[in-house]
Amino acid sequence: MKGEDQARYLFGIHLTDRPKWQQFLICSSGFFFGYLVNGICEEYVYNRLQFSYGWYFTFVQGFVYLILIRLQGFTMKQMVNPWKTYVKLSAVLMGSHGLTKGSLAYLNYPAQIMFKSTKVLPVMIMGAFIPGLRRKYPFHEYISALLLVVGLILFTLADAQTSPNFSIIGVLMISGALIMDSFLGNFQEAIFTMNPDTTQMEMLFCSTIVGIPFLVVPMILTGELVRAWNSCSQHPYVYGVLVFEAMATFIGQVSVLSLIAIFGAATTAMITTARKAVTLLLSYMIFTKPLTEQHGSGLLLIAMGIVLKMFPDSKPAPRIQTSNVNAKHHPEISSSEAKV
């Protein structure tokens, strides 16, 4: 079945007949909402309560995801890709998560921000090497990404209390996480491209159900499982915060997958990078923090990068349309046809 014959939805919102800018606005709004709430909840749990149990919290929220996906009507009968595809995807996802967490022991906050802000660049480069994708970008998009990255680094480091502190072990770990992140987004895009009947719900469901067992090993080895269980037992309302955060992040996750399916991994990486700048700017506006010249310079570069990204391509690459979020599985499509 051709992708253009299929309707595409995002939580009941029909996207197929809408112009691209409306699709972009709807998906981006869902992403920004989900991760803005996520940021507020993380601020409360990690900083106010001083609960640093990232593995355990991800584990709990994974089960919330599975419940929400089932409520959306997805079942395993609708799967069109083999399980081994999602084993690879989840292994990369958990590896990225683990290396990012581990690097915190060797890098201070400014150094970590500098590395994490560059994510869009390796995503664009990696896209040229992923089988089934082999994506190449026009030169102005690389300049756009570079402006966005430099602008975000300037803005986030403008009020840093310390200078970036680099450790060779930390640099290697965060670099490994960036490589895995760049592979992850492009691999997701390749799955959508090579098998247009893949739905966002399928990808999130399979990545979650395969990824949950990967979380058990580091929780046991680090002793986090016991510590987190005891702490949360003494403060059971934390589970309420985690469920609320998971519900909001679920909206953000499905919106991100929709962006990847429609616009590609690199554009999505730019949006996620810009989200950090928007979140920081909102915090300055809400809490009336003073903006310096460095803040202004960073915002200017970010704006230039976004405007440059909006320039149309002289030779737009043809792209296979993807299926909807809540699409029904067509019986004439077998899993053997869907191997990636």
Side-chain angles (χ1 to χ4, degrees):
M1 175 178 287
K2 299 292 183 183
E4 54 265 30
D5 295 332
Q6 300 171 346
R8 188 182 300 119
Y9 295 88
L10 177 63
F11 295 118
I13 301 175
H14 192 266
L15 299 175
T16 305
D17 297 329
R18 296 175 184 269
K20 283 292 184 180
W21 70 268
Q22 288 188 15
Q23 295 180 22
F24 181 84
L25 182 62
I26 292 171
C27 295
S28 298
S29 298
F31 164 70
F32 272 83
F33 167 77
Y35 281 92
L36 182 61
V37 174
N38 170 267
I40 294 172
C41 292
E42 284 191 347
E43 177 75 18
Y44 176 77
V45 173
Y46 283 90
N47 294 336
R48 185 170 178 179
L49 298 181
Q50 298 294 310
F51 283 7
S52 299
Y53 307 126
W55 295 110
Y56 183 74
F57 291 163
T58 304
F59 181 77
V60 172
Q61 290 176 348
F63 287 99
V64 179
Y65 280 7
L66 295 178
I67 294 172
L68 293 173
I69 291 169
R70 184 66 187 91
L71 291 175
Q72 289 290 313
F74 178 82
T75 64
M76 286 191 290
K77 293 181 180 179
Q78 299 171 20
M79 286 180 57
V80 296
N81 291 303
W83 279 103
K84 66 179 182 180
T85 298
Y86 297 107
V87 172
K88 298 175 187 176
L89 199 64
S90 297
V92 173
L93 180 63
M94 292 301 107
S96 170
H97 187 68
L99 287 173
T100 300
K101 281 177 59 67
S103 70
L104 293 174
Y106 303 95
L107 300 175
N108 63 357
Y109 176 76
Q112 188 197 35
I113 284 293
M114 288 184 67
F115 277 96
K116 290 180 68 175
S117 299
T118 64
K119 176 181 175 180
V120 63
L121 294 175
V123 167
M124 295 179 73
I125 296 171
M126 184 67 76
F129 302 98
I130 298 296
L133 201 58
R134 306 294 185 187
R135 181 177 290 280
K136 294 182 179 180
Y137 299 93
F139 181 72
H140 78 270
E141 291 202 17
Y142 288 100
I143 300 299
S144 171
L146 185 61
L147 289 171
L148 190 64
V149 166
V150 175
L152 182 60
I153 290 174
L154 282 176
F155 189 91
T156 53
L157 296 184
D159 58 345
Q161 300 299 314
T162 57
S163 299
N165 180 27
F166 300 104
S167 162
I168 185 61
I169 298 177
V171 169
L172 290 174
M173 293 181 73
I174 198 69
S175 297
L178 283 173
I179 293 172
M180 289 189 173
D181 281 341
S182 65
F183 179 81
L184 179 67
N186 283 297
F187 189 31
Q188 289 172 326
E189 182 183 356
I191 294 172
F192 283 126
T193 302
M194 296 176 68
N195 192 344
D197 293 290
T198 305
T199 66
Q200 287 87 325
M201 285 297 169
E202 174 185 331
M203 185 169 292
L204 186 57
F205 170 79
C206 295
S207 299
T208 301
I209 204 167
V210 174
I212 284 176
F214 280 103
L215 297 170
V216 176
V217 175
M219 282 195 297
I220 294 176
L221 292 179
T222 61
E224 183 175 308
L225 180 60
V226 175
R227 296 197 307 272
W229 176 265
N230 292 334
S231 298
C232 292
S233 297
Q234 296 173 9
H235 304 84
Y237 62 87
V238 171
Y239 287 109
V241 177
L242 292 178
V243 171
F244 180 72
E245 179 186 353
M247 293 172 69
T249 311
F250 176 76
I251 296 174
Q253 286 272 18
V254 177
S255 299
V256 165
L257 290 173
S258 300
L259 286 167
I260 292 174
I262 299 170
F263 298 99
T267 298
T268 303
M270 292 191 71
I271 296 169
T272 58
T273 301
R275 188 265 306 176
K276 299 174 186 176
V278 172
T279 303
L280 288 169
L281 183 59
L282 284 175
S283 72
Y284 276 82
M285 296 172 62
I286 293 172
F287 299 106
T288 62
K289 301 177 185 178
L291 289 172
T292 65
E293 290 184 3
Q294 187 171 333
H295 287 110
S297 299
L299 288 174
L300 179 61
L301 290 175
I302 291 170
M304 290 172 63
I306 293 173
V307 171
L308 188 58
K309 171 64 179 174
M310 296 171 66
F311 284 0
D313 297 340
S314 56
K315 294 181 180 180
R319 185 170 168 74
I320 300 174
Q321 297 293 325
T322 58
S323 62
N324 58 61
V325 173
N326 301 316
K328 301 295 183 183
H329 175 54
H330 298 278
E332 66 270 19
I333 302 173
S334 65
S335 61
S336 61
E337 295 171 334
K339 291 185 179 179
V340 176

